[in-house]
Amino acid sequence: MNVRILILLVILFLADLYVFQGLRFLVQHKSLTAQKVITIVYWTLSAVCLGVILIGQFVDWHHWPQVLRSYSFAIIVIVYLSKIVVIPFLLVDDLVRVIRWTGTQAASLFEKTSSGSVSARGITRLDFLVKLGFIIGAVPFSSLIYGMIKGAYDYRVRKVKLKFSNLPQAFEGIKLVQISDLHTGSFFGPEHLNQAIDLILEQKPDVIFFTGDLVNDRVSEVIPYRSVLGRIQAPLGVYSILGNHDYGDYYRWETIEQKAENLRMLKEFQKDLGWKLLLNAHTYIE
């Protein structure tokens, strides 16, 4: 197993353990049953996340079922991003506790109990700081869960008026549509992609620009959507560029020739659609 992955797993586990200390403090006044349920849910979710990362080192996740691959890695990001938000609040709380404990120990040098022993004072966590951390941590957790379940297909049109002092008169009122990052490998079928294209065509664009990441890794991801993407047309043409994912840099190719062939086929695919792919080039629109 990759050493970097092993280090990552250790760091994530330590983060799990640290956040759990704050969670345990937060639920300490709840019933024992509630505490057990919260503990089981917390560590089960953490175990699933760590397990997915670990299994991915032995079974190439590119070959996993698409639904499993998409949702499992989305959950990992959501869970640990939320914990990253919580951790700074716990660190501040622990820093305050250390300062308070240091002050208590310094004071105890001058104060003795009647028995002659140093008095012990428990330094508890700051309740409001821990609660604040988990409340703020719940914001990315809930919003990203919503985005994963529903928001991913909540398409919106953002209209921007562009003004150029030297724009030729013939281009007054021209309508451009820019779309990007379709990542067709993340769709489970043509339904939602068709919805997006319907929205694009409703704008009645004069020209369309596609600015990269047609696939996640491989050209095979986009092949099933050839007829769907073929609907993207505009009077002055459809122009495209490649994104970082289109180059296939995140896939474990058996040979460099396979990677090169994948890129060639992706370029040909866009050409077959009638898109004008610009590779470190420029063109003119008349």
Side-chain angles (χ1 to χ4, degrees), residues 11-22:
I11 292 174
L12 293 180
F13 175 73
L14 292 176
D16 288 330
L17 198 59
Y18 189 57
V19 173
F20 180 68
Q21 302 308 311

Side-chain angles (χ1 to χ4, degrees), residues 59-123:
V59 182
D60 189 354
W61 59 270
H62 290 96
H63 301 301
W64 295 9
Q66 186 178 348
V67 174
L68 175 63
R69 182 177 70 241
S70 298
Y71 283 105
S72 60
F73 283 96
I75 289 173
I76 291 172
V77 172
I78 292 170
V79 167
Y80 285 102
L81 180 61
S82 302
K83 289 178 180 178
I84 288 173
V85 173
V86 174
I87 286 175
F89 291 89
L90 297 180
L91 287 173
V92 171
D93 177 57
D94 282 332
L95 179 61
V96 172
R97 293 171 67 200
V98 168
I99 294 173
R100 291 168 61 194
W101 179 84
T102 302
T104 300
Q105 294 302 308
S108 68
L109 295 177
F110 305 98
E111 297 178 5
K112 299 289 183 177
T113 61
S114 57
S115 61
S117 61
V118 179
S119 60
R121 302 177 184 178
I123 306 298

Side-chain angles (χ1 to χ4, degrees), residues 7-35:
I7 294 174
L8 174 64
L9 290 172
V10 171
I11 292 174
L12 293 180
F13 175 73
L14 292 176
D16 288 330
L17 198 59
Y18 189 57
V19 173
F20 180 68
Q21 302 308 311
L23 180 64
R24 190 169 60 177
F25 170 80
L26 202 62
V27 301
Q28 62 182 334
H29 299 301
K30 295 186 178 295
S31 66
L32 289 177
T33 301
Q35 291 184 43

Side-chain angles (χ1 to χ4, degrees), residues 45 67 116 128 172 185 188 197 224 241 247 252 262 267 281 285:
L45 193 56
V67 174
F128 83 93
E172 283 291 337
F188 303 137
I197 294 173
I241 61 173
Y247 288 97
R252 297 176 183 174
N262 180 78
K267 293 176 183 178
I285 296 178

